[in-house]
Amino acid sequence: MYVMRTNSEEKALARPTFQSLLEQYGRELFAYLWRMLGDMQQAEDCLQDTYLRAFRAFEKTAADWNYRAWLYKIATNVARTHLKRERRSDNRLDGLIDHVQHDPLDVVTHHDDVEEVLKAMEQLSFRQRTAIMMRKYSDLDYAMIGEALDCSPDTARAHVYQGLKRLRARLLVDSERGGKAHG
């Protein structure tokens, strides 16, 4: 039996154009990569690499794909590869501190706090750090995070929970050390 589809059903099944995906998700992917890498130029480079990899694979996608999660997965893999190549710790904090706040007084006031959080984030596993950034900064749900990280939504939720737990504990220990040193 042949089922005739309406125009609206055909449009719903139509795959978006690659350009429309870039327009829709480009800014948030850049922000995500910038947070992951801590450097604007590296984020731009990784975003371009993400676009290139996505473009090469785009023809193999289906109309019903979750393109947002797919792009985050590619961006995450690009960032992971980049971080493995770079393997630097303290230098990644340089530059990010300058870009986080626009008011010079805010930079002075919040410099230590931002640096502490970034250092504490670096102590997390890559999956925990990535899951937290996807959840807290990109507002992805656990199903999308799971797709991007090749895990179940429950595992994605666990990565966020455990990462935040470790982050809070690390920041508490660091603040207690700072209080004793200054007190």
Side-chain angles (χ1 to χ4, degrees):
M1 177 176 181
Y2 179 74
V3 176
M4 193 165 186
R5 291 202 168 119
T6 65
N7 256 353
S8 62
E9 288 175 325
E10 287 177 7
K11 285 181 182 177
L13 294 175
R15 185 168 54 148
T17 66
F18 187 72
Q19 183 63 33
S20 70
L21 291 176
L22 299 186
E23 290 169 5
Q24 187 172 4
Y25 300 118
R27 291 185 70 169
E28 75 179 75
L29 285 172
F30 172 74
Y32 168 71
L33 288 166
W34 185 27
R35 287 182 193 103
M36 287 296 296
L37 301 170
D39 182 87
M40 191 177 292
Q41 184 60 49
Q42 291 174 12
E44 287 175 2
D45 292 346
C46 285
L47 183 64
Q48 293 304 314
D49 195 16
T50 298
Y51 287 166
L52 182 60
R53 290 179 188 198
F55 181 75
R56 288 179 182 156
F58 184 68
E59 290 302 317
K60 298 173 189 165
T61 64
D64 62 346
W65 273 33
N66 182 337
Y67 287 100
R68 187 177 185 208
W70 176 68
L71 288 169
Y72 269 89
K73 182 176 186 175
I74 295 169
T76 299
N77 289 335
V78 168
R80 178 183 296 135
T81 301
H82 178 80
L83 289 171
K84 282 181 182 176
R85 260 188 272 133
E86 293 298 314
R87 281 289 186 218
R88 54 200 203 318
S89 57
D90 290 339
N91 292 340
R92 285 207 343 232
L93 299 175
D94 298 341
L96 179 61
I97 302 299
D98 297 334
H99 297 292
V100 171
Q101 304 291 332
H102 297 289
D103 182 1
L105 292 175
D106 286 342
V107 172
V108 171
T109 305
H110 298 291
H111 174 72
D112 292 338
D113 293 339
V114 171
E115 189 169 325
E116 279 182 49
V117 171
L118 291 172
K119 284 181 180 179
M121 287 287 285
E122 291 209 356
Q123 302 301 312
L124 301 177
S125 72
F126 182 81
R127 284 182 172 256
Q128 289 173 344
R129 183 172 61 241
T130 303
I132 288 171
M133 289 186 180
M134 286 181 188
R135 180 71 180 158
K136 298 298 181 185
Y137 295 105
S138 300
D139 201 29
L140 269 63
D141 62 28
Y142 294 113
M144 283 191 200
I145 296 169
E147 274 188 61
L149 296 178
D150 280 331
C151 63
S152 72
D154 288 338
T155 302
R157 182 185 310 269
H159 286 313
V160 172
Y161 174 79
Q162 292 297 325
L164 289 173
K165 186 176 170 182
R166 286 186 64 203
L167 188 61
R168 285 183 193 111
R170 175 67 189 218
L171 291 172
L172 182 63
V173 167
D174 289 348
S175 70
E176 288 174 355
R177 275 192 216 142
K180 289 178 183 175
H182 295 24

